[in-house]
Short mmCIF file of all heavy atoms in Angstrom, two decimals:
data_model
loop_
_atom_site.label_atom_id
_atom_site.label_comp_id
_atom_site.label_asym_id
_atom_site.label_seq_id
_atom_site.Cartn_x
_atom_site.Cartn_y
_atom_site.Cartn_z
N ARG F 76 -1.09 19.41 -13.31
CA ARG F 76 -0.87 18.44 -14.38
C ARG F 76 0.27 18.85 -15.30
O ARG F 76 0.44 20.02 -15.63
CB ARG F 76 -2.15 18.29 -15.21
CG ARG F 76 -2.16 17.08 -16.12
CD ARG F 76 -3.55 16.78 -16.60
NE ARG F 76 -3.62 15.57 -17.39
CZ ARG F 76 -4.75 15.07 -17.87
NH1 ARG F 76 -5.89 15.68 -17.63
NH2 ARG F 76 -4.75 13.97 -18.59
N VAL F 102 1.76 11.58 -0.22
CA VAL F 102 2.19 12.04 1.10
C VAL F 102 2.52 10.85 2.00
O VAL F 102 3.53 10.86 2.72
CB VAL F 102 1.10 12.92 1.74
CG1 VAL F 102 1.48 13.29 3.18
CG2 VAL F 102 0.89 14.19 0.92
N LEU F 108 8.73 6.52 3.64
CA LEU F 108 10.11 6.48 3.17
C LEU F 108 11.04 7.22 4.13
O LEU F 108 12.14 6.75 4.45
CB LEU F 108 10.19 7.09 1.77
CG LEU F 108 11.49 6.88 0.98
CD1 LEU F 108 11.75 5.39 0.75
CD2 LEU F 108 11.43 7.61 -0.35
N ARG F 119 24.75 -0.64 8.76
CA ARG F 119 26.01 -0.40 8.06
C ARG F 119 26.30 -1.41 6.94
O ARG F 119 27.34 -1.36 6.33
CB ARG F 119 27.18 -0.45 9.08
CG ARG F 119 27.17 0.68 10.09
CD ARG F 119 27.46 2.01 9.42
NE ARG F 119 27.49 3.11 10.38
CZ ARG F 119 26.46 3.89 10.63
NH1 ARG F 119 25.31 3.69 10.01
NH2 ARG F 119 26.56 4.87 11.49
N VAL F 122 25.27 -0.24 2.47
CA VAL F 122 24.45 0.96 2.62
C VAL F 122 24.04 1.54 1.26
O VAL F 122 22.89 1.92 1.06
CB VAL F 122 25.20 2.02 3.45
CG1 VAL F 122 24.42 3.32 3.50
CG2 VAL F 122 25.45 1.50 4.85
N TYR F 149 2.04 1.74 -15.92
CA TYR F 149 2.68 0.42 -15.93
C TYR F 149 4.19 0.55 -15.73
O TYR F 149 4.80 -0.27 -15.01
CB TYR F 149 2.39 -0.29 -17.26
CG TYR F 149 3.00 -1.66 -17.34
CD1 TYR F 149 2.43 -2.73 -16.67
CD2 TYR F 149 4.17 -1.87 -18.07
CE1 TYR F 149 3.00 -4.00 -16.74
CE2 TYR F 149 4.74 -3.14 -18.14
CZ TYR F 149 4.15 -4.19 -17.47
OH TYR F 149 4.73 -5.43 -17.52
N LEU F 156 8.15 -2.20 -8.30
CA LEU F 156 8.14 -3.64 -7.99
C LEU F 156 9.55 -4.23 -7.86
O LEU F 156 9.84 -4.95 -6.90
CB LEU F 156 7.38 -4.38 -9.10
CG LEU F 156 7.48 -5.89 -9.16
CD1 LEU F 156 6.83 -6.50 -7.93
CD2 LEU F 156 6.83 -6.42 -10.44
N MET F 159 11.84 -4.17 -4.49
CA MET F 159 11.42 -5.01 -3.37
C MET F 159 11.93 -6.44 -3.54
O MET F 159 12.22 -7.13 -2.55
CB MET F 159 9.90 -5.00 -3.23
CG MET F 159 9.38 -5.72 -1.99
SD MET F 159 10.03 -5.08 -0.43
CE MET F 159 9.17 -3.51 -0.33
N THR F 200 -9.66 2.42 -27.84
CA THR F 200 -9.88 3.86 -27.64
C THR F 200 -9.20 4.65 -28.75
O THR F 200 -7.97 4.74 -28.79
CB THR F 200 -9.31 4.31 -26.28
OG1 THR F 200 -9.86 3.50 -25.25
CG2 THR F 200 -9.64 5.77 -26.02
N PRO F 201 -9.95 5.26 -29.65
CA PRO F 201 -9.33 6.11 -30.67
C PRO F 201 -8.81 7.40 -30.06
O PRO F 201 -9.41 7.95 -29.14
CB PRO F 201 -10.49 6.40 -31.63
CG PRO F 201 -11.72 6.25 -30.80
CD PRO F 201 -11.41 5.18 -29.79
N HIS F 213 -4.47 5.57 -31.48
CA HIS F 213 -5.09 5.17 -30.22
C HIS F 213 -4.45 5.93 -29.08
O HIS F 213 -3.44 6.63 -29.26
CB HIS F 213 -4.93 3.66 -30.02
CG HIS F 213 -5.58 2.85 -31.09
ND1 HIS F 213 -6.93 2.66 -31.16
CD2 HIS F 213 -5.05 2.18 -32.16
CE1 HIS F 213 -7.23 1.91 -32.20
NE2 HIS F 213 -6.10 1.61 -32.84
N ALA F 219 -9.06 9.86 -21.63
CA ALA F 219 -9.63 9.54 -22.94
C ALA F 219 -10.33 8.18 -22.92
O ALA F 219 -11.41 8.02 -23.51
CB ALA F 219 -8.53 9.56 -23.99
N TRP F 234 -13.16 -10.17 -20.05
CA TRP F 234 -11.75 -10.57 -20.08
C TRP F 234 -10.83 -9.40 -19.75
O TRP F 234 -9.80 -9.58 -19.10
CB TRP F 234 -11.41 -11.17 -21.43
CG TRP F 234 -12.24 -12.38 -21.73
CD1 TRP F 234 -13.29 -12.48 -22.60
CD2 TRP F 234 -12.14 -13.66 -21.09
NE1 TRP F 234 -13.84 -13.73 -22.56
CE2 TRP F 234 -13.15 -14.49 -21.64
CE3 TRP F 234 -11.30 -14.19 -20.11
CZ2 TRP F 234 -13.35 -15.80 -21.25
CZ3 TRP F 234 -11.48 -15.52 -19.72
CH2 TRP F 234 -12.49 -16.29 -20.28
N TYR F 298 -20.54 -7.22 -12.89
CA TYR F 298 -19.85 -8.24 -12.10
C TYR F 298 -19.55 -7.76 -10.68
O TYR F 298 -18.63 -8.26 -10.04
CB TYR F 298 -18.56 -8.65 -12.80
CG TYR F 298 -18.79 -9.31 -14.14
CD1 TYR F 298 -18.65 -8.59 -15.33
CD2 TYR F 298 -19.19 -10.64 -14.21
CE1 TYR F 298 -18.86 -9.20 -16.56
CE2 TYR F 298 -19.42 -11.25 -15.43
CZ TYR F 298 -19.26 -10.52 -16.61
OH TYR F 298 -19.48 -11.13 -17.82
N VAL F 338 -11.37 -2.56 0.80
CA VAL F 338 -11.25 -1.82 -0.46
C VAL F 338 -11.97 -2.57 -1.58
O VAL F 338 -12.72 -1.99 -2.36
CB VAL F 338 -9.77 -1.58 -0.81
CG1 VAL F 338 -9.64 -0.85 -2.14
CG2 VAL F 338 -9.07 -0.80 0.29
N GLY F 360 -14.71 5.53 2.14
CA GLY F 360 -14.25 4.57 3.15
C GLY F 360 -13.05 3.78 2.66
O GLY F 360 -12.12 3.52 3.42
N LEU F 371 -1.25 2.36 10.36
CA LEU F 371 -1.36 1.41 11.47
C LEU F 371 -0.50 0.17 11.26
O LEU F 371 0.25 -0.24 12.15
CB LEU F 371 -2.82 1.02 11.67
CG LEU F 371 -3.76 2.15 12.11
CD1 LEU F 371 -5.21 1.72 11.98
CD2 LEU F 371 -3.45 2.56 13.55
N GLY F 380 9.14 -5.80 14.32
CA GLY F 380 10.54 -5.96 13.92
C GLY F 380 11.50 -5.62 15.05
O GLY F 380 12.49 -6.32 15.27
N LEU F 409 -2.01 1.52 21.06
CA LEU F 409 -2.67 2.50 20.20
C LEU F 409 -2.84 1.96 18.78
O LEU F 409 -3.91 2.06 18.17
CB LEU F 409 -1.87 3.79 20.19
CG LEU F 409 -2.50 4.99 19.46
CD1 LEU F 409 -3.80 5.40 20.14
CD2 LEU F 409 -1.53 6.16 19.45
N PHE F 412 -5.41 -1.04 18.73
CA PHE F 412 -6.80 -0.60 18.86
C PHE F 412 -7.26 0.15 17.61
O PHE F 412 -8.42 0.06 17.21
CB PHE F 412 -6.96 0.28 20.10
CG PHE F 412 -7.05 -0.50 21.38
CD1 PHE F 412 -6.15 -0.29 22.41
CD2 PHE F 412 -8.05 -1.45 21.56
CE1 PHE F 412 -6.23 -1.01 23.59
CE2 PHE F 412 -8.13 -2.19 22.74
CZ PHE F 412 -7.22 -1.96 23.76
N VAL F 434 -24.66 -1.55 4.28
CA VAL F 434 -26.03 -1.59 4.77
C VAL F 434 -27.00 -1.05 3.72
O VAL F 434 -28.12 -1.54 3.57
CB VAL F 434 -26.15 -0.80 6.09
CG1 VAL F 434 -27.61 -0.68 6.52
CG2 VAL F 434 -25.34 -1.46 7.19
N GLY F 478 15.31 6.55 21.29
CA GLY F 478 14.78 7.75 20.68
C GLY F 478 14.57 7.62 19.18
O GLY F 478 13.56 8.08 18.63
N ARG F 479 15.50 7.00 18.48
CA ARG F 479 15.38 6.84 17.03
C ARG F 479 14.19 5.95 16.69
O ARG F 479 13.40 6.27 15.78
CB ARG F 479 16.67 6.23 16.47
CG ARG F 479 16.62 5.90 14.99
CD ARG F 479 17.91 5.21 14.56
NE ARG F 479 18.23 4.07 15.40
CZ ARG F 479 17.69 2.85 15.27
NH1 ARG F 479 16.80 2.63 14.32
NH2 ARG F 479 18.05 1.88 16.08
N GLU F 480 14.03 4.85 17.39
CA GLU F 480 12.90 3.96 17.14
C GLU F 480 11.58 4.64 17.46
O GLU F 480 10.59 4.46 16.76
CB GLU F 480 13.07 2.69 17.97
CG GLU F 480 14.27 1.83 17.54
CD GLU F 480 14.63 0.79 18.58
OE1 GLU F 480 14.22 0.93 19.75
OE2 GLU F 480 15.35 -0.17 18.22
#
Side-chain angles (χ1 to χ4, degrees):
R76 195 164 184 177
V102 174
L108 192 61
R119 293 291 181 265
V122 175
Y149 181 77
L156 167 66
M159 187 58 72
T200 306
H213 299 284
W234 300 106
Y298 296 100
V338 178
L371 295 168
L409 187 63
F412 281 122
V434 173
R479 175 184 52 81
E480 293 165 342

